[in-house]
Structures are given as C-alpha cells and as structure tokens.
Amino acid sequence: ALLLVAALAGLGLGLSLIFIAVYLIRFCCCRPPEPPGAKSTPPGGGCVTWSCVAALLVGCAGIGIGFYGNSETSDGVSQLSSALLHANHTLSTIDHLVVETVERLGEAVRTELTTLEEVLAQRTELVAATRGARWQAEAVAQQLQGLAFWQGVPLSPLQVAEDVSFVEEYRWLAYVLLLLLELLVCLFTLVGLAKQSKWLVVVMTAMSLLVLVLSWGSMGLEAATAVGLSDFCSNPDTYVLNLTQEETGLSSDILNYYFLCNQAITNPFQQRLTLSQRALANIHSQLQGLEREAVPQFPSAQKPLLSLEETLNVTEGNFHQLVALLHCRGLHKDYGVALRGLCEDALEGLLFLLLFSLLSAGALATTLCSLPRAWALFPPSDDYEDTDDDDPFNPQESKRFVQWQSSI
C-alpha cells in the first residue's frame, strides 16, 4: 500500500513532464513565423512574464511552509526519541534492581546464613529458624527473577531511538538542502527575468527541472510516511500492542497492562510482589527472633545477623523501587508522549511538507512553461552594442560611410 502511494507521486511526475514537453513542443513548432524586421512585442508577453513571477513567488511561499513543516517533523521525532530513551531507562533500572537484589540474597544465603547455621548448630530450634529464613530468601529471589520481564527481549528501545535519530538527522539535512536549492532557483530566476539575462534563464530552467523531479520524489516519500504513521494515530493501542507482541514475544497480559493502564486491568506482577513482600516480612521477623534468642547465648552470631539485617534493608529498598517502576504509570506516560510526538507534531509537519511539495511542483511546472516564452521576449543581444559610434569598423558607421560615398 505504501509503495502504491509513492507510485502515485511518480505518476504525477510523469504526467507533469509529459504536459511540459507537449507544451514546449507546441510553443516551439507551432509558433507563426514573424515577418522580417518586426520588433514589436507579441501580445500577452507581459502576462507571461508576470505569471512566471507569480509562480516563483508561490514557490517562495511554499519554501516557508516547508521550513515550518521540517521543524515540526523534527520536534515530533525528538519527542519520540526522548520517550523511547526514558522507557529504556525504566526497563534497564528494573533489570538492574532485580539482578542486584537476587545477587545480594544469594550471597546472604551462601555466606551469612550458612555461617549462622554453623554457629547455632547446638540449638535445633534456632537452626530451624535460620533454615526458614534461608527458604524465604530463596523464595524472594525466585519471585524477583520473574519481575525482569524485559530481560532477554530482542527489541531494545535504545536501539530504536538511535535508529530513529540517525534517520531523522539525515532527513532533516536533506530537506534543508532541498529547500535552500529551491530558494536559490527562485531567486536567481527572478534575477534573470529582471536583468533579461538569457544564459541565467537557461541555467535556471535546467535547475527548475531538477528541483521539480526532487519535489515529486519528496512528495511520494511524505505521502507514504504519512499513511504509515496513520496506523499509530488511528486506534493505536491495538496496532502497537500486536506489533510489540510480535517483536518481543511478551504475553498479552503484560502488554495490555502497560499500553492501556486502566483500573479494569490488574497488575500481572501483583502476585509475585505480594509473595515477595510477605517473604521479606517473615525474614525480618525471624531475624528479630534470632537476635533476641541467639545473641545472648552465641555472641559470635551477632555479626552475621547484623550483615543479614543490612542486606534485608537494601533488599526492601530495592523492592519498593521495583514496585514503583513496575506500575504502569511511568511506561504508559512514555507511550503517550511518543504517540503525541508522532501524531501531533511529526504528522503535522509531514502534512506541511506535503503542501510544500505540491506548491513547489505546481510553481516549477508553471515556471518551466513560462520561461521559454519569457526568454523569447528578451531583446536580442547585440555583439557590437558597446562599440564606439566613430569607429570605422562599426557596421552602422561603415554603412553610413558607403551611403556618403555614393551621394558624392
């Protein structure tokens, strides 16, 4: 479908070139011969020149619209890139917190809890409480591992943001160069008409043909891109959800929670978070009981218990950060910012660029049809117009000299 939209611009280019060629052939071949010595201006000559000037002024107005559209498109893509980078930061922070917390709990199980079991080996009930804390810590680590839902997903928001920024940088530069090229063509064409310079008009005619081709080409790209972006602007949730699920392989429950983010959809990680919170609370109570019972009888148990409490405090802090980050508010906000950047700024800018291309193509086509007729109205260049009247080699002076001799 996008190729078909782009092909319509190619069809418009072909039709405009055929129309210009037919018009110029008719102008050159079907023009009635002028009588010798006739120097009067053909009727309608002034209208041709002014129509060419009007078309060039319309082209200059289109250039202003093009600069505005290019800026709006760049702003929209910048919002999209910023939203993707912020979402990537959120997902990376979740993965980092999960990995760090699981490693801390695993280290605590291997070192402090093992040491504590060895110290309390004489008290069976204290060893049982220590082993209960070990099982709870292992359960928390297992539950937390399932919270890093983006870990191992092939789609990276950072890579998408970098690719989008790379393409946008060259797109923006290409449009600036195109706009400046058309501006120079319009200005130098106006100068050529004002100075009645034939060589400058001929050069600008060739340049106008080149810019006409570029304008139709950019029109095809703009139309195809606008149609493609419309998928993100008309009922975007279903389209983006299906596209993301296809690229990432994540479950629809997780994607629905973050893309829709309403009260009708429960948090898919709520059960894991609840079990982890209960397990952390149990570990905390067990450590407090061990501190009351074991430290008075086994003073060497105080050091591993203090280390375990420190690990538990860090784990609880990381857990509360995970609860906040896993809520749908943050990622859904980034999703909304990305859609607004695409649909409000980028798409609006593309529509202005499309208007620029239409005005540019129409103005240049009119100019290409008018320039040859305006060129024909220019006075013929005289190679001897700067010669001195008293020069005997001046053709006019030689003619008067021959007439003077014959009269004698």
Side-chain angles (χ1 to χ4, degrees):
L2 298 181
L3 290 176
L4 178 61
V5 173
L8 293 178
L11 178 62
L13 173 61
L15 292 177
S16 62
L17 291 178
I18 292 174
F19 173 77
I20 293 171
V22 170
Y23 180 85
L24 293 180
I25 291 173
R26 182 176 177 275
F27 171 73
C28 296
C29 300
C30 302
R31 185 172 54 178
E34 298 181 359
K39 296 183 179 180
S40 60
T41 303
C47 294
V48 172
T49 303
W50 283 111
S51 64
C52 184
V53 172
L56 292 173
L57 293 178
V58 170
C60 292
I63 292 171
I65 295 174
F67 274 109
Y68 175 77
N70 197 34
S71 177
E72 285 293 305
T73 304
S74 180
D75 291 341
V77 175
S78 297
Q79 291 183 30
L80 172 63
S81 299
S82 299
L84 288 173
L85 291 175
H86 191 271
N88 181 79
H89 176 71
T90 301
L91 296 172
S92 301
T93 304
I94 291 173
D95 293 342
H96 175 72
L97 287 174
V98 169
V99 171
E100 180 185 358
T101 305
V102 170
E103 288 180 353
R104 282 181 175 274
L105 290 175
E107 184 67 21
V109 169
R110 289 190 300 269
T111 57
E112 285 85 1
L113 286 174
T114 301
T115 303
L116 196 60
E117 286 184 14
E118 295 174 354
V119 172
L120 304 177
Q122 299 177 3
R123 296 284 301 273
T124 306
E125 67 278 8
L126 296 181
V127 172
T130 304
R131 290 178 178 174
R134 174 196 292 270
W135 295 332
Q136 295 290 341
E138 291 175 349
V140 171
Q142 184 178 4
Q143 294 295 333
L144 291 179
Q145 285 178 348
L147 298 179
F149 65 95
W150 202 265
Q151 195 171 19
V153 173
L155 180 63
S156 171
L158 176 61
Q159 185 63 40
V160 175
E162 291 178 351
D163 294 341
V164 168
S165 299
F166 177 79
V167 173
E168 170 59 21
E169 181 179 359
Y170 284 96
R171 185 211 63 81
W172 180 86
L173 181 60
Y175 265 98
V176 168
L177 294 177
L178 175 61
L179 290 166
L180 291 177
L181 177 61
E182 183 170 351
L183 180 61
L184 291 176
V185 168
C186 291
L187 292 179
F188 279 106
T189 304
L190 290 173
V191 171
L193 292 174
K195 297 291 186 179
Q196 294 187 346
S197 175
K198 289 187 175 182
W199 69 269
L200 186 57
V201 169
V202 170
V203 172
M204 289 302 106
T205 301
M207 294 299 296
S208 297
L209 182 61
L210 172 63
V211 178
L212 176 65
V213 175
L214 294 177
S215 297
W216 278 105
S218 65
M219 188 186 305
L221 292 176
E222 294 151 7
T225 306
V227 172
L229 287 182
S230 64
D231 293 334
F232 294 95
C233 304
S234 176
N235 192 17
D237 295 336
T238 303
Y239 175 76
V240 177
L241 192 148
N242 293 334
L243 182 63
T244 307
Q245 187 174 13
E246 181 181 354
E247 294 293 333
T248 61
L250 294 174
S251 65
S252 59
D253 294 337
I254 296 176
L255 297 179
N256 281 326
Y257 176 68
Y258 287 108
F259 283 125
L260 301 180
C261 192
N262 53 40
Q263 296 180 353
I265 302 176
T266 59
N267 189 340
F269 307 108
Q270 187 61 46
Q271 185 177 2
R272 290 181 178 273
L273 293 174
T274 302
L275 294 176
S276 299
Q277 187 175 12
R278 291 176 181 175
L280 289 174
N282 292 334
I283 294 173
H284 191 72
S285 62
Q286 288 172 353
L287 291 179
Q288 288 180 346
L290 287 173
E291 188 175 1
R292 288 193 305 268
E293 298 292 334
V295 171
Q297 300 180 20
F298 304 94
S300 59
Q302 185 174 7
K303 183 177 180 180
L305 283 174
L306 292 176
S307 179
L308 283 172
E309 289 180 356
E310 181 181 357
T311 301
L312 183 62
N313 292 332
V314 174
T315 301
E316 288 179 344
N318 291 344
F319 177 77
H320 290 305
Q321 292 186 43
L322 282 172
V323 171
L325 291 173
L326 286 170
H327 198 275
C328 64
R329 286 191 302 266
L331 291 175
H332 185 74
K333 181 180 179 181
D334 296 332
Y335 171 62
V337 171
L339 286 183
R340 284 193 297 273
L342 281 178
C343 299
E344 293 182 5
D345 291 334
L347 188 59
E348 178 186 359
L350 281 175
L351 294 178
F352 276 105
L353 287 176
L354 188 62
L355 178 59
F356 149 72
S357 298
L358 286 172
L359 292 176
S360 175
L364 291 174
T366 305
T367 302
L368 286 172
C369 292
S370 302
L371 280 179
R373 298 189 64 182
W375 183 83
L377 299 176
F378 291 170
S381 59
D382 191 357
D383 297 336
Y384 303 99
E385 61 181 0
D386 294 333
T387 57
D388 190 1
D389 290 340
D390 296 333
D391 188 358
F393 295 100
N394 188 345
Q396 300 294 334
E397 185 65 25
S398 300
K399 184 177 179 181
R400 286 195 293 268
F401 179 72
V402 171
Q403 293 176 355
W404 176 76
Q405 279 188 338
S406 61
S407 63
I408 295 177

